[in-house]
Amino acid sequence: MKSCISVPIQTEQFLELANFLKSNKDLRDPVEMVSTAIQYWLDNANWKPELLEEVSSTVRGYQWKNLFLPQGTQIRMQYKGTYSYARVEDDQIVYRGKPISPGSLANTIAGTSRNAWRDLWIKRPEDKEWKLADECRDKEEAAQKLFEELNNEFGKPQTGRQS
């Protein structure tokens, strides 16, 4: 049996791969296709110098329950007609120069108890538009559910399949 490690990839990228395979009626396991893609890169990187460009491998950001906010994510909340902004710097949310949790941010801006999931809007570096935190959380939960379904579908031993 081969030993394996888990390598995090962006959820949207994994879902794009799974949907691509499904729409092309390709029955291969998307998790295995990640290995295939890595092998393709290894086979081609020596003669394609653009594949060897240095890229920062350290992803910094803030983990808010099941929602990861990468460094550079902007957070805003509108209260009484005024927008207030915070930003993810390194591994924390910073508001007015001080680290703060999402719940404390919403409560501080409003001066009263608020639900951060329903009041904070998120714009990650790759986002083109602001998204409600609650919608981002729902999307992550849906992605996790799909991942679990794919794992159940492809993770079970199948007849005639060799490791």
Side-chain angles (χ1 to χ4, degrees):
M1 180 173 189
K2 296 178 184 177
S3 67
C4 295
I5 64 166
S6 295
V7 178
I9 65 170
Q10 290 183 359
T11 304
E12 287 186 16
Q13 188 175 41
F14 181 82
L15 293 176
E16 185 178 357
L17 172 62
N19 289 329
F20 177 83
L21 293 171
K22 190 175 186 177
S23 68
N24 285 287
K25 298 184 183 354
D26 190 325
L27 300 177
R28 289 180 287 183
D29 180 347
V31 173
E32 290 176 10
M33 291 308 298
V34 172
S35 286
T36 301
I38 291 171
Q39 190 59 53
Y40 175 83
W41 184 88
L42 289 169
D43 292 344
N44 289 281
N46 282 334
W47 61 276
K48 288 187 173 181
E50 67 273 13
L51 294 176
L52 293 173
E53 292 177 8
E54 188 175 331
V55 177
S56 173
S57 63
T58 305
V59 177
R60 304 293 302 253
Y62 183 86
Q63 188 69 48
W64 181 13
K65 306 278 185 179
N66 69 329
L67 181 62
F68 180 72
L69 304 175
Q71 181 169 296
T73 296
Q74 298 175 67
I75 303 168
R76 78 175 181 191
M77 179 174 157
Q78 183 179 20
Y79 186 72
K80 293 187 177 180
T82 302
Y83 284 104
S84 295
Y85 293 86
R87 185 175 177 86
V88 175
E89 296 178 11
D90 293 324
D91 295 326
Q92 55 193 3
I93 296 172
V94 177
Y95 178 65
R96 295 185 177 169
K98 296 182 181 175
I100 194 167
S101 70
S104 293
L105 175 63
N107 295 343
T108 298
I109 292 169
T112 184
S113 182
R114 304 295 294 204
N115 182 324
W117 293 108
R118 291 186 300 214
D119 288 329
L120 297 180
W121 290 75
I122 307 293
K123 189 173 183 187
R124 293 167 288 204
E126 69 273 9
D127 293 337
K128 292 182 176 135
E129 298 178 2
W130 290 93
K131 299 174 184 175
L132 186 62
D134 197 38
E135 292 172 4
C136 295
R137 175 176 62 169
D138 289 346
K139 190 173 184 178
E140 287 299 317
E141 288 173 356
Q144 183 61 35
K145 184 178 177 188
L146 176 60
F147 183 74
E148 289 169 4
E149 289 172 4
L150 289 169
N151 193 39
N152 289 337
E153 183 177 339
F154 293 108
K156 295 178 183 173
Q158 296 178 5
T159 325
R161 228 176 140 179
Q162 308 238 341
S163 304

